[in-house]
């Protein structure tokens, strides 16, 4: 649900008693253009508002913006442009909104930065230029570029910024955007290469397999020569290839035979062929057991081995006030042993301490507005009891938490501050906050946190994913004193959850449609971004997994598989072995899926899978509409 829709929805009930007195709300001006950093006051037109004796001065006006990263607006109606884009602002009066459109033009180019992977090239070879255009605020923008060479008989440059060497000498390449420009000097040297060839596999690839190709030269003296930066292309629409340094990185979505071409220089190209077969799997998801729930919505869950040696699944509830306790020692026959009732409208997250003796439930919507977290005593895991609560600094509600093994610390996502609050539970009867970390900005929304191998991954909604050192040692951080490492904004501004596996960080969007109704089918959207975090300071998005007709939610992974609660798309299992590039769904890397639904659910025959967790060879999932599902990935039919 969008930021804008949430605010409007919260405002309307407060003013409904007076809504009938208002014919309409007109905002002046109806449209406006602001430059970044400038402000303008908006107002409600009094003549359009008046009905009978009711005057505008008698009403409260509440101002809202669709995107505070473009325009913010205060309680007086003063709008300030913070970034380029186009937004709606709303004035809500007596429960009736009126709108205006504000456009913020892109700032002009202030600086051009151009880099070449090498400053010298051989005759009849080429290199690409990496160009970035920046505003006076340091933001990278997309802007038209022009290129020129000072000495065209030595080197020329095309419209994409590729420099071609022709004869020995030096050429200055000028890169311009608007009124700003920069230069790069390129030296062309004599070539000692007698022939070129493409090195890389021709056969043995499946869809989704990544292959790397290079151009190698043979010198006049018979030695192998490398270090070329060709322009790569591939025939057909079922495969792609992109440059990564000196390599061309190939991956196919469809089986077939493809021709890979490398443009080495203005008059030198080389080709090779690639045969790709279809990727197939002989595994299926089999339902082993159920913990059904047909009369309330379920939320997150956690599965663990209790101190009594038995296995349990604790499942929270969405828009209800209890958490369910399931004994799943026999996965085929779960037994509901108890429930824990709280003063809450939502128990969104459930986490269990690695020692199996302490549990944490998050709380939102408490009647006394003191939400926070609730700590459970699990000495009898079939019948947990409330040990303590912590609400002092997190009264605004806690959406998610993560327990740091060995540190006795909890990272809590607070809805009020939109920060991580670090809570010491060394004495679980008297938790205490010992620190916090958040982005240094007013308009932000933090949704989730996960800590793996000394790094915390914060899903910061409109601000993408933020990585902190909380004990990895790379940036001087510790669990009690996190240090910033890096941040990556994503193309969809709904960064919801993250999971680190090997060199990849899997980051899920969450996009709910406007006007969704509890108890009815919800058409969610959003996909999983695959980031290469080998260089932890510079994450790079390299792949994606997107089920076109559904929306991603929570994630879990092991060395070979990614397990996704994909809302109305059900439980999905994806092959993440090897190198990942491109669209994993189109490549056929989906191993299996299961629609977690039947007729006996809150919304009949409509799956809404929350997430997945692996435990002792089984996959545990909660579905918002149907409760707990226990499945197993095995060959069909399962023995």
């Amino acid at each position: 649900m969008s930021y804008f829709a949430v605010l409007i929805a919260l405002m309307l009930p407060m003013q409904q008693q007076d809504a009938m007195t208002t014919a309409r709300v007109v905002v002046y001006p109806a449209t406006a253009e602001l430059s970044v950093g400038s402000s303008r006051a908006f107002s409600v037109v009094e003549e359009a508002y008046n009905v009978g004796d009711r005057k505008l001065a008698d009403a409260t006006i509440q101002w809202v913006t669709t995107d505070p990263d473009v325009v913010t607006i205060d309680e007086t109606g003063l709008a300030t442009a913070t970034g380029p884009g186009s937004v709606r602002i709303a004035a809500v009066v007596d429960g009736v909104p009126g709108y205006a459109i504000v456009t913020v033009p892109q700032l002009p180019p202030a600086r051009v930065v151009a880099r070449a992977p090498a400053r010298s090239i051989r005759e009849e070879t080429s290199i690409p230029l990496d160009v970035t255009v920046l505003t006076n605020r340091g933001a990278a923008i997309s802007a038209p570029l022009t290129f020129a060479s000072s000495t065209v008989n030595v080197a020329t440059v095309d419209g994409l910024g590729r420099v071609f060497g022709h004869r020995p000498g030096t050429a200055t390449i000028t890169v311009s955007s608007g009124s700003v420009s920069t230069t790069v000097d390129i030296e062309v040297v004599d070539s000692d290469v007698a022939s070129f060839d493409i090195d890389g596999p021709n056969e043995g690839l499946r869809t989704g397999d990544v292959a790397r190709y290079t151009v190698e030269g043979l010198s006049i003296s018979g030695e192998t020569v490398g270090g070329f930066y060709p322009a790569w292309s591939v025939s057909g629409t079922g495969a792609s290839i992109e440059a990564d340094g000196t390599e061309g990185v190939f991956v196919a979505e469809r089986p077939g035979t493809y021709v890979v071409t490398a443009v080495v220089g203005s008059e030198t190209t080389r080709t090779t062929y690639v045969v790709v077969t279809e990727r197939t799997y002989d595994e299926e998801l089999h339902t082993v057991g159920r913990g059904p729930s047909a009369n309330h919505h379920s939320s997150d869950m956690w599965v663990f081995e209790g101190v009594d040696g038995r296995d349990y699944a604790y499942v929270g509830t969405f828009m209800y006030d209890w958490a369910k306790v399931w004994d799943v020692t026999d996965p085929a026959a779960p037994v509901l042993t108890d429930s824990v009732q709280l003063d809450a409208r939502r128990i969104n997250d459930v986490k269990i301490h690695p020692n199996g003796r302490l549990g944490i439930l998050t709380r939102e919507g408490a009647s006394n507005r003191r939400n926070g977290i609730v700590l459970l005593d699990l000495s009898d895991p079939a019948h947990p009891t409330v040990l303590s609560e912590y609400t002092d600094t997190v009264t605004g509600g806690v959406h998610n938490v993560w327990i740091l093994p060995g540190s006795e610390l909890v990272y809590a996502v607070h809805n009020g501050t939109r920060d991580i609050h670090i809570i010491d539970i060394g004495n679980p009867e008297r938790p205490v906050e010992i620190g916090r970390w958040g982005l240094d900005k007013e308009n932000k929304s933090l949704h989730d946190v996960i800590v793996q191998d000394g790094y915390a991954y914060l899903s910061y909604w409109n601000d993408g994913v933020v990585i902190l050192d909380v004990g990895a040692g790379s940036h001087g951080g510790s669990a009690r004193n996190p240090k910033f490492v890096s941040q990556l904004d994503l193309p969809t501004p709904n960064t919801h959850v993250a999971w680190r596996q090997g060199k990849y960080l899997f980051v899920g969007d969450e996009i709910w449609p406007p006007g969704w109704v509890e108890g009815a089918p919800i058409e969610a959207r959003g996909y999983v971004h695959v980031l290469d975090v080998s260089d932890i300071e510079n994450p790079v998005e390299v792949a994606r997994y997107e089920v076109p007709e559904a929306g991603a939610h929570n994630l879990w992974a092991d060395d070979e598989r990614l397990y996704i609660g994909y809302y109305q798309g059900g439980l999905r299992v994806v092959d993440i072995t090897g190198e990942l590039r491109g669209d994993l769904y189109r490549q056929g890397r989906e191993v299996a899926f299961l629609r977690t639904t039947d007729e006996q659910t809150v919304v009949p025959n409509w799956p809404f899978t929350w997430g997945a967790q692996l435990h002792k060879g089984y996959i545990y999932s909660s579905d918002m509409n149907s409760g707990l599902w226990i499945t197993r990935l095995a060959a069909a039919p399962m023995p």
Side-chain angles (χ1 to χ4, degrees):
M1 197 173 184
S2 73
Y3 172 88
F4 187 64
V6 168
L7 288 181
I8 292 292
L10 290 174
M11 291 175 181
L12 292 181
M14 295 188 293
Q15 305 292 341
Q16 282 298 321
Q17 67 271 19
D18 294 320
M20 296 303 294
T21 66
T22 305
R24 63 191 180 114
V25 171
V26 177
V27 176
Y28 177 82
T31 61
E33 181 175 292
L34 298 177
S35 60
V36 174
S38 67
S39 300
R40 168 151 194 174
F42 286 79
S43 61
V44 173
V45 178
E46 186 166 0
E47 290 77 9
Y49 173 80
N50 286 346
V51 176
D53 294 330
R54 181 131 173 106
K55 303 295 183 183
L56 185 61
D58 300 327
T60 299
I61 304 174
Q62 294 171 296
W63 294 94
V64 188
T65 173
T66 57
D67 189 349
D69 286 335
V70 177
V71 171
T72 61
I73 191 163
D74 67 14
E75 67 277 4
T76 69
L78 182 67
T80 301
T82 54
S86 183
V87 301
R88 278 201 307 171
I89 61 171
V92 182
V93 188
D94 291 343
V96 177
Y99 302 100
I101 303 295
V102 183
T103 301
V104 182
Q106 180 65 265
L107 286 171
R111 188 161 65 99
V112 178
V113 178
R115 300 179 181 89
R119 287 304 176 93
S120 66
I121 60 174
R122 292 177 173 86
E123 295 175 279
E124 293 307 318
T125 66
S126 64
I127 57 172
L129 295 180
D130 180 19
V131 180
T132 303
V133 181
L134 302 172
T135 70
N136 59 8
R137 293 178 169 235
I141 60 173
S142 177
L145 295 169
T146 59
F147 301 88
S149 170
S150 65
T151 317
V152 294
N153 62 337
V154 173
T156 56
V157 57
D158 67 13
L160 297 177
R162 176 165 286 274
V163 180
F164 296 86
H166 302 299
R167 56 178 290 183
T170 301
T172 298
I173 307 301
T174 301
V175 186
S176 303
S177 181
S179 61
V180 294
S181 63
T182 190
T183 60
V184 179
D185 290 332
I186 300 295
E187 182 184 12
V188 180
V189 299
D190 288 321
S191 178
D192 58 349
V193 180
S195 63
F196 296 94
D197 198 7
I198 295 179
D199 182 55
N202 298 115
E203 298 179 343
L205 297 181
R206 302 169 299 167
T207 54
D209 286 343
V210 175
R212 290 179 173 264
Y213 295 85
T214 58
V215 167
E216 291 187 350
L218 187 67
S219 71
I220 298 172
S221 61
E223 296 178 348
T224 300
V225 180
F228 302 104
Y229 296 86
W232 298 93
S233 62
V234 61
S235 64
T237 59
S240 63
I241 190 168
E242 58 184 13
D244 183 8
T246 60
E247 297 178 316
V249 185
F250 171 92
V251 66
E253 295 179 351
R254 294 199 288 263
T257 300
Y258 298 93
V259 176
V260 171
T261 300
V263 177
V264 182
S266 59
E267 299 180 0
T268 306
T269 62
R270 292 294 182 268
T271 62
T272 189
Y273 72 92
V274 189
V275 177
V276 180
T277 59
E278 186 175 4
R279 178 182 291 263
T280 60
Y281 301 95
D282 60 359
E283 296 168 291
E284 291 183 356
L285 281 168
H286 302 265
T287 301
V288 176
R290 290 282 312 279
S293 176
N295 57 5
H296 65 80
H297 294 291
S298 299
S299 64
D300 209 353
M301 46 146 253
W302 198 265
V303 189
F304 66 103
E305 182 178 318
V307 293
D308 58 0
R310 300 182 67 82
D311 294 321
Y312 295 91
Y314 286 12
V315 184
T317 48
F318 180 87
M319 307 305 286
Y320 290 85
D321 59 356
W322 56 74
K324 298 296 186 181
V325 178
W326 293 91
D327 184 323
V328 294
T329 307
D330 179 1
V335 177
L336 184 64
T337 63
D338 210 338
S339 63
V340 180
Q341 191 167 24
L342 305 178
D343 177 7
R345 280 288 287 160
R346 180 171 177 170
I347 302 172
N348 187 76
D349 199 12
V350 182
K351 291 293 189 296
I352 306 299
H353 194 285
N355 65 18
R357 297 181 178 277
L358 183 68
I360 294 180
L361 304 178
T362 64
R363 185 163 56 182
E364 295 170 285
S367 62
N368 62 2
R369 298 188 180 182
R370 295 188 64 81
N371 291 284
I373 60 175
V374 176
L375 285 73
L376 302 179
D377 180 349
L378 307 186
S379 55
D380 180 2
H383 304 283
T385 57
V386 173
L387 178 65
S388 64
E389 299 180 356
Y390 180 77
T391 62
D392 287 351
T393 61
V394 285
T395 58
V398 173
H399 199 64
N400 285 291
V401 295
W402 191 263
I403 304 173
L404 279 66
S407 69
E408 303 303 324
L409 297 179
V410 173
Y411 284 8
V413 174
H414 183 218
N415 298 342
T417 61
R418 272 73 170 177
D419 292 343
I420 288 294
H421 290 239
I422 306 172
I423 302 169
D424 189 333
I425 57 170
N427 179 356
E429 294 183 0
R430 301 185 188 280
V432 60
E433 180 176 309
I434 54 91
R436 64 180 68 175
W437 192 96
L439 286 175
D440 186 16
K441 59 182 299 187
E442 181 179 354
N443 296 296
K444 58 187 177 181
S445 180
L446 177 62
H447 187 273
D448 192 55
V449 60
I450 186 171
V451 180
Q452 293 169 290
D453 298 325
Y455 290 105
Y457 301 94
L458 280 58
S459 297
Y460 243 116
W461 211 248
N462 289 346
D463 294 294
V465 63
V466 174
I467 303 176
L468 306 179
D469 177 0
V470 295
S474 61
H475 292 73
S478 67
R480 292 172 175 266
N481 186 24
K483 297 295 184 181
F484 177 83
V485 176
S486 58
Q487 179 179 359
L488 181 66
D489 291 333
L490 295 171
T492 47
N494 295 69
T495 304
H496 168 269
V497 70
W499 184 280
R500 173 76 181 267
Q501 190 66 38
K503 73 173 185 177
Y504 295 113
L505 183 68
F506 299 92
V507 180
D509 301 325
E510 183 185 49
I511 303 172
W512 280 33
W516 63 275
V517 177
E518 180 191 353
I522 298 173
E523 289 279 5
R525 290 295 183 268
Y527 64 91
V528 178
H529 307 257
V530 184
L531 312 185
D532 186 335
V533 289
S534 300
D535 179 356
I536 198 69
E537 292 186 351
N538 297 286
V540 178
E541 184 167 354
V542 294
R544 63 191 285 163
Y545 171 79
E546 180 177 12
V547 179
E549 70 277 9
H553 199 234
N554 284 354
L555 315 171
W556 194 279
D558 59 19
D559 290 339
E560 297 186 350
R561 303 284 190 260
L562 177 67
Y563 305 85
I564 312 169
Y566 220 102
Y567 275 153
Q568 73 270 33
L571 172 63
R572 322 293 288 212
V573 182
V574 183
D575 180 354
I576 56 171
T577 57
E579 185 175 359
L580 305 178
R581 288 273 180 152
D583 191 322
L584 308 185
Y585 179 80
R586 294 180 179 274
Q587 295 164 8
R589 277 184 171 266
E590 183 174 271
V591 178
F593 74 92
L594 177 72
R595 287 173 52 84
T596 54
T597 191
D598 55 31
E599 294 181 356
Q600 303 301 315
T601 76
V602 178
V603 182
N605 298 313
W606 189 262
F608 220 59
T609 317
W610 187 280
Q613 180 184 342
L614 301 180
H615 184 71
K616 296 184 178 180
Y618 295 93
I619 307 165
Y620 291 79
S621 302
S622 64
D623 184 288
M624 283 185 66
N625 294 330
S626 58
L628 177 66
W629 289 73
I630 306 172
T631 57
R632 188 175 180 183
L633 190 64
M638 187 173 66

